[in-house]
Amino acid sequence: MRVVVQDQSGRHQSGRHQWEERNRPVRLERRVEFETYGATRDFLDRLGAFSEEQQRFPDISFGRTYVNLTLRPLDLEEGAPLQAEDHAFAAAVDGLID
């Protein structure tokens, strides 16, 4: 499957795009674009199964050929920083794209 990601300037590039860390509120964000609805749907199915397995559910929004992901810290306390577990979960989600 070929994945096309969009960078901050709106340009498209092939390959992986890193998660972006945001501070207000603390979170990781990523947008992934796909060539077809079927590829988008396949990724969402894999993400759903993985999230159920891990009992961790990122916020998602999606359209026909894209998925926006927001991952908040596992520690739900307000202002809690991102931890190694949060980055490990994000990296595992990256693995679902391949």
Side-chain angles (χ1 to χ4, degrees), residues 41-98:
R41 187 74 234 162
D42 289 345
F43 171 72
L44 290 170
D45 289 343
R46 288 190 303 275
L47 178 61
F50 178 70
S51 293
E52 287 288 339
E53 176 184 298
Q54 298 296 310
Q55 285 298 293
R56 182 153 190 199
F57 303 92
D59 295 334
I60 62 171
S61 64
F62 62 93
R64 189 173 63 85
T65 58
Y66 70 89
V67 177
N68 291 321
L69 299 160
T70 301
L71 184 62
R72 300 183 194 291
L74 191 55
D75 181 350
L76 298 176
E77 185 176 320
E78 187 173 333
L82 293 161
Q83 301 291 328
E85 296 87 2
D86 302 311
H87 290 281
F89 185 88
V93 170
D94 288 345
L96 299 175
I97 296 169
D98 291 334

Side-chain angles (χ1 to χ4, degrees), residues 6-9 17-31 69-73 79-82 87:
Q6 186 174 26
D7 67 15
Q8 290 292 5
S9 68
H17 182 266
Q18 298 297 318
W19 289 79
E20 293 196 32
E21 197 166 325
R22 305 287 188 188
N23 293 320
R24 293 187 184 159
V26 174
R27 66 197 184 279
L28 292 171
E29 293 182 340
R30 180 171 181 175
R31 179 180 177 101
L69 299 160
T70 301
L71 184 62
R72 300 183 194 291
L82 293 161
H87 290 281

